[in-house]
């Protein structure tokens, strides 16, 4: 069913990768504001806070975390004003962080690390503790998000932590499940121009698993509100009752939400019994490419699931780039991998290897590339089978109706072959405020010639060209686009990225 323009990418193996173990060790926080040395210049109009978050502590006492995603959340703040920059960082004072600190060991399980029973208990008590429901971590170390003008740090559990962005202090712990019937939400919501937020979260019940689309109103009615007024506007049943798909983000246009049900499966039975089995939660997630990937399209105004059944060959996506509507179609651009086993690779024992061992780990990882899919919205019984239903002359992506009524979607690559030499691209960002949900031309991301990003890339999806920034030994984080005041050009602005090296930490500004 694949179009002739699609071919499996082949990659040259890399050798003698530099060791990145120093980047994956516990660091000290910098709670007092320090002045940064500025090289070059900042645009005079650039002013405000750049907020970043990520894992910064990888052990308590003799207990060590196993996975990169497990480290305790460290909040970073760069304040930019009149060409000067100050920096501070603080560990998020989550309940998890405080409990681990008090006991000087890991007492709450994370994604890839199972908390062991209290060694002070007797043998019987330790055995029985395996049958207790595990505490859910509030180590929200993935992303800053906004709801009703307030800032939260989020992961994918049911907890978020509200943060004062000036002081980096946690002000409140918020539980999604106290407001709506979901067991968590993604760390990548979308926003309408008026501030209305949309997100997705799973729910698990006696009738199976559902993927839920959440709407949060744009403003607080009363002081002290958090996500009050949140609603589930649509629930989509999982194709498999006890094995819903894992997802990290979703797509949104002006009128539609696009959810991708992919063959990266969460075995709920394995996850629930992980403590009894002595395994971390991550052991319940598996790549099952015998299943195809499915796109679900929902009218975000009515909450109605559109009847179209859109499928493609199996792939996994963690981050969507952008989505928009054109000529009766939804166009969605994604960073895609053909191998969904990459989560397993990011165990700290792998990332801390050196020499040939590190090369082998890198060369085993699937690469991520930008792809475009086109989903025609108004498919009728009279539409011909076996023909491309996409009317978009500028895209080679196709949508072909099959005999069973399903629409088979084949992608268009949005990159030149040069991107293969850069190790693919991830962490895509666009000029979100002006072009989210609209036809666009540029996105920015990190190139992966190492297991962590080692370049910043600007991709022109119309001309399929690249602009690359790289310096040896520098590892940039997800780029943030800041538009220049008064400009109408899509790429009129700067890119901000926090860049780490084995011996320093800096902020890069690319105009």
């Amino acid at each position: 069913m694949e179009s002739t323009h699609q071919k499996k990418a082949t990659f040259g193996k890399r050798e003698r990768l530099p060791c990145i173990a120093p980047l994956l060790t516990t660091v000290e926080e910098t709670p007092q504001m320090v002045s940064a040395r500025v090289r070059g210049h900042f645009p005079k109009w650039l002013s405000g806070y750049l907020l970043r978050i990520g894992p910064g502590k990888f052990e308590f006492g003799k207990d060590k975390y196993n996975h990169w995603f497990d480290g305790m959340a460290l909040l970073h703040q760069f304040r930019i004003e009149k060409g000067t920059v100050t920096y501070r960082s603080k560990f998020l004072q989550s309940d998890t962080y405080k409990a681990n600190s008090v006991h000087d060991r890991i007492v709450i399980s994370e994604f890839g690390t199972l908390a062991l029973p209290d060694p002070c208990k007797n043998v019987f008590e330790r055995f029985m503790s395996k049958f207790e429901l595990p505490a859910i971590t509030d180590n929200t170390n993935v992303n800053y998000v906004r709801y009703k003008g307030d800032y939260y740090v989020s992961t994918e559990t049911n907890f978020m932590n509200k943060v004062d962005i000036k002081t980096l202090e946690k002000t409140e712990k918020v539980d999604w499940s106290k407001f709506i019937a979901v067991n968590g939400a993604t760390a990548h919501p979308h926003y309408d121009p008026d501030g209305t937020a949309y997100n997705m979260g799973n729910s698990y019940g006696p009738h199976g698993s559902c993927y839920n689309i959440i709407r949060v109103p744009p403003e607080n009615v009363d002081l002290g509100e958090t996500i009050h007024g949140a609603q589930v506007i649509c629930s989509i049943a999982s194709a498999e009752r006890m094995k819903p798909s894992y997802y990290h983000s979703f797509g949104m246009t002006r009128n539609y939400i696009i959810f991708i049900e992919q063959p990266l499966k969460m075995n709920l039975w394995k996850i629930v019994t992980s403590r009894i089995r002595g395994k971390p939660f991550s052991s319940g997630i598996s790549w099952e490419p015998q299943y195809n990937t499915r796109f679900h399209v929902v009218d975000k105004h009515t909450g109605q699931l559109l009847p179209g059944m859109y499928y493609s060959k199996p792939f996994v996506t963690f981050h969507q780039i952008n989505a928009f509507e054109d000529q009766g179609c939804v166009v969605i651009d994604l960073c895609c991998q053909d191998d969904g086993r990459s989560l397993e690779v990011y165990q700290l024992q792998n990332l801390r290897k050196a020499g040939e061992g590190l090369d082998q780990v890198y060369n085993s990882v699937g690469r991520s590339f930008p792809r475009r899919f086109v989903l025609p919205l108004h498919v009728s019984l009279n539409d011909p089978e076996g023909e491309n239903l996409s009317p978009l002359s500028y895209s080679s992506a196709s949508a072909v109706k099959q005999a069973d009524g399903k629409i088979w979607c084949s992608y268009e690559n949005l990159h030149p072959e040069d991107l293969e030499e850069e190790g693919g691209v991830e962490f895509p960002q666009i000029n979100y405020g002006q072009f989210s949900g609209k036809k666009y031309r540029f996105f920015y991301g990190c190139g992966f010639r190492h297991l962590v990003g080692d370049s910043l890339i600007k991709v022109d999806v119309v001309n399929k060209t690249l602009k690359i920034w790289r310096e040896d030994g520098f590892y940039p984080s997800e780029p943030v686009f800041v538009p220049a005041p008064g400009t109408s050009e899509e790429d009129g602005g700067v890119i901000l990225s926090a860049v780490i090296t084995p011996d320093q930490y800096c902020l890069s500004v690319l105009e």
Side-chain angles (χ1 to χ4, degrees):
M1 294 298 301
E2 295 176 33
S3 299
T4 55
H5 71 272
Q6 298 182 66
K7 61 186 178 74
K8 191 174 178 69
T10 56
F11 313 102
K13 290 189 175 182
R14 297 206 67 207
E15 296 180 346
R16 293 186 288 278
L17 288 170
C19 179
I20 54 172
L23 308 181
L24 301 155
T25 56
T26 293
V27 296
E28 296 292 327
E29 62 183 2
T30 308
Q32 302 303 316
M33 194 176 292
V34 297
S35 295
R37 288 176 295 167
V38 177
R39 297 177 184 174
H41 73 282
F42 285 81
K44 292 181 180 178
W45 55 264
L46 188 63
S47 180
Y49 293 105
L50 174 66
L51 305 171
R52 302 281 78 187
I53 188 168
K57 183 175 176 60
F58 296 98
E59 69 282 313
F60 284 91
K62 296 179 180 179
D63 292 356
K64 301 181 187 302
Y65 288 113
N66 299 326
H67 201 282
W68 192 16
F69 300 170
D70 298 344
M72 292 293 99
L74 182 63
L75 306 167
H76 306 270
Q77 177 206 80
F78 295 91
R79 184 178 181 184
I80 305 167
E81 188 176 26
K82 297 179 181 178
T84 66
V85 182
T86 58
Y87 171 77
R88 70 182 351 165
S89 65
K90 289 184 181 180
F91 280 107
L92 176 70
Q93 296 298 304
S94 62
D95 291 346
T96 298
Y97 180 90
K98 290 190 284 189
N100 291 342
S101 298
V102 166
H103 292 89
D104 197 28
R105 65 182 184 87
I106 297 170
V107 298
I108 296 176
S109 297
E110 300 289 340
F111 173 76
T113 304
L114 179 69
L116 297 176
D118 186 347
C120 296
K121 291 182 176 180
N122 63 39
V123 173
F124 178 74
E125 289 173 325
R126 276 183 282 167
F127 173 75
M128 292 305 296
S129 70
K130 291 186 175 184
F131 299 93
E132 298 171 0
L133 284 175
I136 302 299
T137 182
D138 66 338
N139 176 37
T140 49
N141 65 2
V142 175
N143 197 23
Y144 273 91
V145 297
R146 286 189 75 185
Y147 294 106
K148 302 183 179 184
D150 295 321
Y151 288 85
Y152 299 81
V153 284
S154 177
T155 180
E156 295 177 340
T157 68
N158 52 311
F159 294 119
M160 295 189 297
N161 285 295
K162 193 173 178 180
V163 172
D164 182 326
I165 64 169
K166 293 183 179 179
T167 65
L168 297 187
E169 295 293 336
K170 167 193 162 183
T171 61
E172 190 172 354
K173 177 177 171 179
V174 177
D175 184 346
W176 277 103
S177 66
K178 301 296 184 186
F179 297 90
I180 50 177
V182 297
N183 302 94
T186 81
H188 294 288
H190 278 291
Y191 307 97
D192 273 344
D194 70 352
T196 300
Y198 292 84
N199 207 337
M200 291 197 63
N202 282 3
S203 59
Y204 314 114
H207 303 295
S209 309
C210 285
Y211 314 108
N212 301 287
I213 297 172
I214 304 161
R215 180 193 290 142
V216 182
E219 295 176 355
N220 284 326
V221 176
D222 298 311
L223 288 174
E225 274 194 5
T226 55
I227 53 172
H228 297 73
Q231 293 177 295
V232 171
I233 63 170
C234 180
S235 291
I236 303 167
S238 169
E240 286 191 278
R241 184 170 175 267
M242 290 298 291
K243 289 171 70 175
S245 291
Y246 171 81
Y247 57 95
H248 188 72
S249 66
F250 60 99
M252 188 175 88
T253 68
R254 289 179 177 178
N255 297 298
Y256 299 100
I257 300 288
I258 306 96
F259 167 63
I260 298 164
E261 191 171 16
Q262 56 194 9
L264 188 59
K265 299 284 191 173
M266 297 188 296
N267 187 314
L268 298 183
W269 179 249
K270 285 187 175 181
I271 291 172
V272 168
T273 61
S274 60
R275 193 164 181 171
I276 300 170
R277 296 183 301 110
K279 301 285 187 181
F281 300 130
S282 58
S283 69
I285 299 179
S286 61
W287 171 237
E288 301 188 14
Q290 67 270 28
Y291 298 97
N292 288 321
T293 294
R294 180 173 180 180
F295 299 82
H296 299 271
V297 182
V298 175
D299 185 316
K300 74 182 196 188
H301 306 295
T302 66
Q304 292 297 308
L305 178 66
L306 272 59
M309 296 183 290
Y310 310 96
Y311 289 85
S312 81
K313 71 172 191 174
F315 69 85
V316 65
T317 180
F318 296 105
H319 299 104
Q320 66 95 37
I321 304 167
N322 197 13
F324 58 92
E325 300 159 41
D326 192 15
Q327 299 177 51
C329 298
V330 161
V331 180
I332 183 164
D333 297 346
L334 309 160
C335 287
C336 301
Q337 300 177 25
D338 291 322
D339 186 336
R341 292 173 293 184
S342 59
L343 291 178
E344 305 167 14
V345 171
Y346 287 94
Q347 294 192 35
L348 289 168
Q349 64 180 13
N350 289 329
L351 298 178
R352 290 169 175 161
K353 288 181 177 178
E356 187 178 336
L358 182 61
D359 296 343
Q360 288 176 352
V361 172
Y362 175 81
N363 290 320
S364 72
V365 180
R367 309 288 186 263
S368 183
F369 291 96
R371 296 173 180 171
R372 171 164 291 174
F373 292 88
V374 175
L375 315 177
L377 297 175
H378 309 294
V379 179
S380 73
L381 293 172
N382 299 323
D383 285 324
E385 296 172 13
E387 293 184 17
N388 183 13
L389 301 181
S390 169
L392 305 183
S393 59
Y394 56 81
S395 178
S396 58
S398 63
V400 177
K401 184 180 175 184
Q402 298 177 293
D404 58 4
K406 295 177 181 176
I407 309 300
W408 186 262
C409 301
S410 299
Y411 62 81
E412 171 194 6
N413 284 318
L414 294 179
H415 64 277
E417 289 187 1
D418 301 14
L419 189 57
E420 295 176 13
E421 299 172 13
E422 297 304 315
V425 66
E426 255 294 357
F427 304 125
Q429 290 286 328
I430 62 168
N431 182 343
Y432 191 93
Q434 296 176 23
F435 286 88
S436 175
K438 301 176 185 177
K439 203 170 183 178
Y440 75 112
R441 179 175 174 182
F442 302 109
F443 81 89
Y444 311 85
C446 290
F448 279 79
R449 295 172 73 238
H450 208 307
L451 286 161
V452 295
D454 73 335
S455 65
L456 293 171
I457 302 177
K458 177 182 180 181
V459 182
D460 182 331
V461 301
V462 175
N463 295 326
K464 298 184 181 177
T465 56
L466 308 177
K467 189 174 182 180
I468 300 164
W469 175 89
R470 180 194 300 109
E471 289 190 23
D472 288 344
F474 284 66
Y475 300 96
S477 68
E478 177 180 45
V480 175
F481 181 84
V482 184
T487 184
S488 59
E489 295 181 6
E490 182 181 343
D491 60 346
V494 299
I495 287 293
L496 301 180
S497 176
V499 182
I500 56 175
T501 75
D503 57 0
Q504 57 184 307
Y505 190 69
C506 59
L507 171 67
S508 285
V509 180
L510 305 179
E511 294 188 66

